[in-house]
Amino acid sequence: MRHSSARRRFALLPTALALLGAFGAGSAFAQDTVKIGFTGPLSGGAALYGKNVVNGIEMAIKEINAAGLEVGGKKVKLELVALDDKYSPADAAINARRLAQQHQAPVVFVPHSGGIYAMQAFNEQEKFIVMAYSSTPKITETGNKLTIRIPPTFNSYIEPFTRYEMKKFGKKVGMLPGDHEYAKNWTQLFGPAWEKAGGTIASNNPMSYNRSADFYSGVSRVLAEKPDVLFVGGPSEPTALVVKQARELGFKGGFLIMDQAKLDEMAKVTDGLGPLEGSIGVLPVSYDERVGPKTFAAAYRKAYGADKDPTTESSYNYAMTHAVAAAMKLAGTTTDASAIRAKMGEAIGKLPKETNAGEFKGVDAVGGTVVDPLVATVEGGKIRPVNLSDLMK
């Protein structure tokens, strides 16, 4: 019996060693999973806007994971946790706390200024970076040391946009912005700038772009003052409905469109670019011939469908997700938000052209990205790229 028992023990030994080897090999390939947070509108009137941001982040995460990311000698897998806040600042704050506390997300992407402000009240204490997709200047004027403002500030658009519309259509503007925080910020700067340029404001009628699909009464009130230009803006779909209904009510002038709305997305609602004739806004990604945006547009269509045109929300957040991963690698940590934030400028500067879909140059002293955007006009039924500097001549 002793010999038989010994034989069984020796017979089991190779199997045990094999299992041990398998587990040992497995540990060599073990990955730390790092959660990347997102809170934004994934339902309601701004759902498309939020989804565009998520698409860009997801696309970058898939590429980063496929290429393999190693931080501080450990293999790292990124995973997006996306929560719906319905464009509500209060819900954004709740989501951000959950992402930081439950998921230990070192960064949280958020695409609306109300949510950004709400998160800036506690993100330094909770130790996570606010990846702020909003061009509101105040975001980087708060002194928050753990905030990156992704797009350029919108005040760089106001004077050239104003010059273009005044020269083409006239000096009387009717204001039909959204009533959300971002649109309020735009309106506060745009109104005085228009008057400083010698224009007059016929009327100002903010509307709830996120909760309504019928803007006829509000548009009618503004058109009764016979404006030459309409100032509009919010997410693309409701902004396009405002434009469409203005045309249906007989408006013949131009549209000055704040940068949240995208002309190519709007054209899908207005049944083409015809109703958008005389508009000025930001340049759609699919019309940008620079290396980064062009490479991204091709990859985006491959990922989401040949008929899917990427937006700036997608391309900018895609590039910034790549930058976050690169900053983690440079900092040697996935958990120390301050160390990651400190490396963001260097990480952006080293992004390959193919993944730098926003043509970013770096980060300025207050946490805003350094970028020189192109804008677009609609003339002769076509979207035409133009440099901001050319509009100022």
Side-chain angles (χ1 to χ4, degrees):
M1 286 294 292
R2 283 198 304 272
H3 295 300
S4 175
S5 176
R7 280 197 299 271
R8 279 199 302 273
R9 283 199 301 272
F10 282 115
L12 287 170
L13 188 58
T15 303
L17 289 171
L19 286 170
L20 185 63
F23 282 119
S27 65
F29 294 100
Q31 290 180 314
D32 283 346
T33 297
V34 177
K35 305 293 179 67
I36 301 296
F38 166 88
T39 177
L42 296 174
S43 62
L48 177 62
Y49 173 66
K51 180 60 175 166
N52 286 338
V53 176
V54 168
N55 283 351
I57 298 169
E58 282 186 333
M59 190 170 150
I61 285 175
K62 287 177 183 176
E63 292 178 359
I64 293 161
N65 288 340
L69 176 63
E70 190 171 299
V71 178
K74 292 183 179 179
K75 295 183 184 298
V76 172
K77 178 185 178 184
L78 301 183
E79 182 181 312
L80 177 64
V81 181
L83 303 179
D84 183 14
D85 62 27
K86 304 177 182 65
Y87 230 141
S88 161
D91 287 347
I94 292 168
N95 287 349
R97 287 191 187 280
R98 178 180 166 192
L99 289 163
Q101 294 173 6
Q102 181 180 333
H103 298 284
Q104 289 80 52
V107 301
V108 177
F109 286 79
V110 55
H112 55 100
S113 57
I116 293 163
Y117 296 145
M119 291 159 61
Q120 284 182 322
F122 60 86
N123 75 298
E124 289 176 302
Q125 290 73 37
E126 297 279 353
K127 295 181 171 48
F128 67 90
I129 301 169
V130 176
M131 296 299 293
Y133 188 83
S134 173
S135 58
T136 304
K138 286 193 291 185
I139 287 165
T140 42
E141 293 171 0
T142 62
N144 189 289
K145 292 180 172 57
L146 291 179
T147 294
I148 295 288
R149 190 198 68 245
I150 297 173
T153 56
F154 65 70
N155 51 357
S156 62
Y157 300 124
I158 291 175
E159 188 177 353
F161 281 20
T162 295
R163 282 195 179 201
Y164 176 82
E165 291 294 333
M166 280 190 175
K167 185 176 180 181
K168 196 170 181 68
F169 294 101
K171 295 189 174 183
K172 191 175 183 181
V173 68
M175 298 174 65
L176 282 163
D179 62 1
H180 53 293
E181 186 69 29
Y182 179 72
K184 289 176 184 176
N185 292 327
W186 243 95
T187 302
Q188 285 169 1
L189 293 183
F190 171 74
W194 183 271
E195 290 178 324
K196 184 180 178 183
T200 59
I201 298 172
S203 58
N204 182 9
N205 187 46
M207 299 183 296
S208 181
Y209 278 40
N210 196 39
R211 293 187 292 275
S212 178
D214 183 359
F215 303 104
Y216 281 108
S217 60
V219 173
S220 294
R221 280 196 294 274
V222 172
L223 293 187
E225 302 298 325
K226 302 191 184 314
D228 303 310
V229 177
L230 288 180
F231 167 68
V232 297
S236 296
E237 288 182 313
T239 304
L241 283 172
V242 172
V243 167
K244 187 176 183 180
Q245 291 171 14
R247 291 298 193 214
E248 290 169 356
L249 290 167
F251 179 64
K252 304 293 185 187
F255 294 97
L256 193 156
I257 304 170
M258 66 176 68
D259 59 330
Q260 188 176 6
K262 305 301 181 290
L263 291 166
D264 51 347
E265 285 190 336
M266 291 174 67
K268 294 173 183 177
V269 178
T270 58
D271 299 320
L273 290 167
L276 291 162
E277 185 70 23
S279 294
I280 187 165
V282 292
L283 180 69
V285 177
S286 52
Y287 289 81
D288 194 331
E289 292 298 314
R290 294 175 296 177
V291 173
K294 193 169 184 178
T295 304
F296 172 77
Y300 187 91
R301 292 191 184 99
K302 186 176 180 180
Y304 297 107
D307 61 334
K308 302 295 183 184
D309 290 328
T311 66
T312 312
E313 290 86 29
S314 300
S315 66
Y316 277 23
N317 284 281
Y318 163 87
M320 283 299 108
T321 304
H322 272 287
V324 165
M328 287 176 176
K329 191 167 186 175
L330 288 168
T333 177
T334 60
T335 57
D336 186 338
S338 295
I340 296 166
R341 166 65 184 85
K343 292 295 184 180
M344 281 296 293
E346 183 181 350
I348 291 169
K350 291 181 176 179
L351 281 178
K353 284 187 176 181
E354 292 74 19
T355 56
N356 192 353
E359 298 280 326
F360 294 102
K361 314 298 182 189
V363 176
D364 64 23
V366 294
T369 58
V370 179
V371 60
D372 183 18
L374 293 175
V375 298
T377 61
V378 180
E379 298 177 6
K382 294 181 179 179
I383 291 177
R384 300 182 183 276
V386 60
N387 290 311
L388 279 176
S389 56
D390 290 340
L391 293 172
M392 295 301 291
K393 292 177 181 176

